[in-house]
Amino acid sequence: MNYFFVTIFTMFFSLTSVLAQEKIDKYIVGKGETVNQIAQKFNVTPYDIYKLNPDAQKELKPNSVLLIPKSKGKMAAAETKTAAPMVKQQLKTHLVLAKETLFSIEKKYDVTDADLKKANPDLEKLGLQVGQVLTIPLKNAPKTSTVTKTAVVYHTVLAKETKYSIAKLYNITVAELEQKNPEIIPNLTVGYELLIKGTRPKAVVKTTAETKAVPVKPTAVKSVTAAEPVSYIDYTVKAKETFYSLSKQFGLTQQQLIDLNPNLSAGVQDGMVLKVPSKSNQIASNTIKQKVALTKKNSNDKKTLALLLPFNIAKNGDTISANVSRLNNDKFLNMTLDFYAGALVAIDSAKQLGVNLDVKIFDSNEAKTTSNVAAIYSNNDLASADAVVGPFYQTNVEKMANLLGQSNVPVISPLSKDAGNPTPNLYQSIVPATDLKTAMFDFLKAKQGNTIAVIDKKRETIRKYILENQKEVKIAPLTPTGGLNVEGFKSQLVKDRMNYVILETANTGMIKYTINAMVSVMAGYQVQLVILEPNETLDTDEISFENLTKLHLMYPSATRENNSPEAQIFMQSYRKKNKVNPSTFAIRGFDITFDTMMRLAQDKTYQETAETMITEQVENKFEYHKKEEGGYVNKGVYILYYDTDLTVKEAK
């Protein structure tokens, strides 16, 4: 009881303090309004509203009263003019939003798990709760400062927001927003952290000779054991046979069947003649992976790795101020520097493990259709290299692969999402979106559950794909008006088996009906919600995050959250060197470089490791498959799900 009164008193005191310091408006919520719309109306951020109204994160009821802070636009300008020489630290807090984890919050504010829990003792007892306001421990700061730095303002993109609405919210133009965030020019991604004001912290990049890093312990690698050569026979497809029955009969996944028989990409048809292994378990036995430690092999054979990164030094100015300005405004350069900083940690870590490698770094000086690739190839003996990572753009990485084709030097494309042209020595490390969907269907088949797809009338492409290629999946019936036929849907559920429900709609009403129907039958049926790709509607206020965790929302992903000791060593090493947490590009730089170096350290060629090993690094999995038309593609996919403790876990 004492704890209850202490909590209530603390909340009251905090609210009273805020009301005393800021002018607050009261606003009555209209029917159908969202927090985003209200925030735009008052020229504040959704976070400002959640901070004063934590319950708004769960549900926003019509006619309810919200406390709205006055817009700080003019006040901030006044404070900048009268800033005192002494800069006093203010208490920093964070409102826990849906889908956030302790790891993501600690990474955002660059604090340790111990420090965050020390500042918030309830975390140990109650765990992380949506709507909870956390105290963020402050770093030690200098006692005095003679320079007042411009505050850095970020905005996390929410579902249904547009560039125009965000620009209007902060009283800037769309052009100004894109200038600060050029990576959003093609499209705006939900969850992306936009820079609104100020400058993002820059990674401190040092040369290899200047850095000393803690070696990152190699993660587990799955390798293929020796197997007999595979022989094939012709098989004629019988009536009513499906991908599932063929996969079970021959011990192959759907993708392996398609790899052997490209005409299957259009679906299984009666009378088709397929190429299949003569022994039903032959290919399956060749792909059984056994965990081994990916460590340096005892060899004095020194390998060479070349990194081609777009520093574009030719764009540098003649003065320090010009170069500082470029660092502040050139987002592509900052992405490159982040990737490079991650690669440096990988280089130092591999060398600490005793890997005997000569790493050469070149400025690829590239734009989308131009590069310095030909000159680098002509002026350096890259044909004798054991592997090349880069350049970044697809056309440029293909050009390098073609130049090195005769010497069969593997060229790893680190960031391009394009499928590209068939090149035998090119390794696409980004997982294609189509393979994410395929991996999800393969997982569901392996679990042998009952799969139902809820598809609205606007998603005819996916309906046709499922009907032709995933014939074991049931299609949920719709009403004459296009809504979900709830009773018909319930009749498709099966007892004593997991019922996987694939959601293929952006319609809020259909999503709600589906989720409510699933929750209502949980007492008698096993049900789990599945999506094949990100669905922005699930991130809106109208959808209960609690229900998503109840239904263990499951989805395919090319990356994972990793809290393993090996990942923590990398994070600590990166922070020690660069004074900031690694960005997505920095982690990518580490994963690609470290993975390549450790593959070269084996007693096999890079190509042999690609054909026989699956590796996992900090966030990425590398599972290369040979493409029918030439080259290799990464199909390293994670199947993840929301757990009821607000964490994301890997499905097994």
Side-chain angles (χ1 to χ4, degrees):
M1 183 65 72
N2 288 338
Y3 175 78
F4 174 80
F5 282 112
V6 168
T7 304
I8 294 298
F9 178 79
T10 302
M11 291 174 61
F12 176 79
F13 179 80
S14 300
L15 183 58
T16 304
S17 299
V18 171
L19 291 172
Q21 294 174 25
E22 300 183 47
K23 293 182 179 179
I24 303 294
D25 284 330
K26 291 183 179 179
Y27 179 76
I28 299 176
V29 179
K31 185 176 180 180
E33 281 193 305
T34 67
V35 170
N36 293 350
Q37 293 168 343
I38 297 169
Q40 292 177 19
K41 185 178 292 186
F42 287 91
N43 198 26
V44 297
T45 68
Y47 172 77
D48 293 330
I49 296 178
Y50 287 137
K51 190 174 179 181
L52 293 177
N53 309 269
D55 288 342
Q57 175 68 25
K58 299 177 182 177
E59 185 178 11
L60 197 63
K61 296 180 179 179
N63 300 319
S64 61
V65 177
L66 288 180
L67 299 176
I68 310 293
K70 292 281 189 181
S71 174
K72 297 181 180 180
K74 295 180 180 179
M75 188 185 302
E79 287 174 353
T80 303
K81 293 180 181 179
T82 60
M86 294 285 289
V87 181
K88 186 177 179 182
Q89 287 186 314
Q90 300 295 322
L91 182 66
K92 187 184 291 186
T93 59
H94 175 83
L95 178 72
V96 180
L97 302 179
K99 303 180 186 176
E100 286 191 307
T101 65
L102 281 175
F103 176 73
S104 65
I105 295 169
E106 289 159 4
K107 185 176 178 181
K108 180 176 182 179
Y109 294 102
D110 192 18
V111 297
T112 65
D113 185 68
D115 287 343
L116 186 64
K117 288 179 177 176
K118 184 177 180 181
N120 302 273
D122 289 345
L123 284 175
E124 293 282 9
K125 304 174 185 176
L126 307 175
L128 193 66
Q129 306 290 327
V130 175
Q132 179 181 8
V133 178
L134 297 178
T135 299
I136 305 299
L138 296 172
K139 298 273 186 182
N140 293 329
K143 293 183 179 179
T144 61
S145 174
T146 56
V147 180
T148 303
K149 294 184 178 179
T150 304
V152 180
V153 178
Y154 296 102
H155 175 89
T156 302
V157 180
L158 302 177
K160 298 186 179 179
E161 283 190 313
T162 64
K163 295 178 191 177
Y164 175 77
S165 68
I166 296 170
K168 185 178 178 183
L169 179 64
Y170 292 99
N171 196 28
I172 60 176
T173 66
V174 172
E176 289 172 326
L177 184 67
E178 289 183 338
Q179 185 180 6
K180 283 191 171 291
N181 306 272
E183 52 271 38
I184 70 167
I185 291 175
N187 54 26
L188 190 66
T189 305
V190 173
Y192 185 79
E193 193 176 68
L194 293 173
L195 177 65
I196 303 298
K197 180 181 177 184
T199 305
R200 295 184 195 267
K202 303 296 185 299
V204 180
V205 180
K206 303 177 182 179
T207 64
T208 309
E210 295 174 322
T211 56
K212 291 183 179 179
V214 179
V216 179
K217 183 181 177 183
T219 53
V221 177
K222 305 165 186 178
S223 70
V224 174
T225 54
E228 61 179 299
V230 181
S231 58
Y232 298 94
I233 59 172
D234 290 336
Y235 176 82
T236 303
V237 177
K238 301 179 180 64
K240 298 184 179 180
E241 285 194 304
T242 64
F243 267 122
Y244 178 71
S245 63
L246 292 171
S247 296
K248 195 170 182 181
Q249 179 177 349
F250 295 106
L252 306 175
T253 65
Q254 177 178 328
Q255 189 57 50
Q256 286 171 331
L257 281 168
I258 293 174
D259 289 344
L260 288 171
N261 305 275
N263 56 333
L264 275 175
S265 57
V268 179
Q269 299 175 16
D270 297 351
M272 292 177 73
V273 178
L274 303 180
K275 175 184 177 182
V276 295
S278 58
K279 297 180 181 179
S280 62
N281 66 342
Q282 217 170 9
I283 291 182
S285 65
N286 279 1
T287 53
I288 293 173
K289 310 299 188 297
Q290 180 181 354
K291 277 192 176 182
V292 297
L294 183 60
T295 56
K296 181 185 79 71
K297 300 299 180 183
N298 294 324
S299 173
N300 294 321
D301 183 17
K302 191 172 188 177
K303 303 290 182 68
T304 300
L305 169 65
L307 299 178
L308 272 65
L309 308 179
F311 299 110
N312 293 339
I313 294 174
K315 291 184 179 180
N316 283 356
D318 297 328
T319 64
I320 294 176
S321 61
N323 291 327
V324 170
S325 175
R326 185 183 171 213
L327 276 171
N328 288 336
N329 298 299
D330 191 335
K331 301 303 178 184
F332 187 70
L333 173 61
N334 281 276
M335 176 188 73
T336 302
L337 292 176
D338 281 354
F339 187 97
Y340 176 55
L344 285 181
V345 177
I347 292 167
D348 291 338
S349 298
K351 287 186 176 180
Q352 291 287 333
L353 291 169
V355 174
N356 189 15
L357 265 136
D358 180 20
V359 181
K360 298 178 179 180
I361 300 172
F362 301 95
D363 178 13
S364 55
N365 193 28
E366 63 180 297
K368 196 167 186 178
T369 56
T370 61
S371 72
N372 199 30
V373 164
I376 293 172
Y377 174 78
S378 299
N379 300 330
N380 301 274
D381 186 21
L382 291 190
S384 64
D386 295 283
V388 174
V389 172
F392 282 5
Y393 284 111
Q394 183 67 25
T395 53
N396 300 330
V397 80
E398 284 180 8
K399 186 173 183 178
M400 178 54 75
N402 285 324
L403 289 170
L404 294 171
Q406 286 189 342
S407 51
N408 198 31
V409 175
V411 177
I412 298 96
S413 175
L415 293 175
S416 174
K417 296 180 181 179
D418 298 338
N421 297 311
T423 310
N425 59 323
L426 181 59
Y427 297 76
Q428 300 284 157
S429 67
I430 294 287
V431 179
T434 52
D435 286 332
L436 291 172
K437 291 182 181 179
T438 301
M440 189 74 252
F441 280 113
D442 286 345
F443 179 86
L444 297 179
K445 288 171 188 171
K447 302 299 286 185
Q448 298 184 346
N450 176 49
T451 306
I452 306 169
V454 176
I455 311 171
D456 70 21
K457 291 184 176 180
K458 295 180 180 180
R459 303 280 179 102
E460 283 305 312
T461 301
I462 188 66
R463 180 188 298 272
K464 183 179 179 182
Y465 169 80
I466 289 176
L467 287 172
E468 292 179 355
N469 302 288
Q470 309 293 340
K471 295 183 179 180
E472 71 282 357
V473 177
K474 301 174 182 176
I475 305 293
L478 303 180
T479 64
T481 58
L484 176 67
N485 182 331
V486 175
E487 292 306 314
F489 163 72
K490 289 182 178 180
S491 70
Q492 293 177 318
L493 299 172
V494 175
K495 284 188 178 292
D496 302 323
R497 286 172 67 190
M498 177 60 75
N499 293 274
Y500 297 107
V501 180
I502 299 173
L503 198 58
E504 275 294 326
T505 177
N507 183 284
T508 304
M510 182 175 280
I511 291 174
K512 281 186 173 181
Y513 275 118
T514 304
I515 290 176
N516 290 340
M518 292 177 71
V519 171
S520 70
V521 300
M522 287 182 72
Y525 294 89
Q526 301 176 64
V527 289
Q528 186 166 6
L529 188 62
V530 177
I531 56 175
L532 303 176
E533 58 188 358
N535 189 329
E536 294 181 358
T537 310
L538 295 178
D539 294 326
T540 59
D541 299 333
E542 290 89 345
I543 305 302
S544 166
F545 181 67
E546 183 182 0
N547 282 340
L548 297 182
T549 59
K550 276 184 184 177
L551 296 172
H552 293 301
L553 175 65
M554 185 162 58
Y555 59 97
S557 174
T559 60
R560 59 172 177 173
E561 276 192 9
N562 185 2
N563 294 314
S564 69
E566 294 83 9
Q568 292 302 316
I569 290 173
F570 160 71
M571 299 290 286
Q572 292 164 10
S573 179
Y574 188 93
R575 279 196 295 262
K576 184 178 180 181
K577 291 178 59 175
N578 300 294
K579 314 306 178 190
V580 293
N581 279 322
S583 68
T584 300
F585 293 112
I587 296 173
R588 184 78 185 168
F590 173 85
D591 281 1
I592 287 284
T593 308
F594 189 74
D595 186 74
T596 304
M597 295 181 77
M598 296 309 295
R599 285 178 183 270
L600 293 179
Q602 307 308 300
D603 53 1
K604 301 178 180 180
T605 64
Y606 186 92
Q607 180 179 347
E608 288 171 336
T609 68
E611 293 175 349
T612 61
M613 293 181 177
I614 300 173
T615 57
E616 291 180 298
Q617 304 303 341
V618 176
E619 281 190 353
N620 298 272
K621 181 189 293 186
F622 300 99
E623 182 180 348
Y624 289 108
H625 287 247
K626 194 168 187 177
K627 297 192 290 186
E628 184 79 18
E629 63 275 20
Y632 296 81
V633 64
N634 182 20
K635 298 187 178 184
V637 178
Y638 292 101
I639 305 298
L640 306 177
Y641 71 95
Y642 292 173
D643 206 351
T644 49
D645 61 359
L646 301 184
T647 62
V648 176
K649 291 186 172 65
E650 185 178 355
K652 301 297 183 182

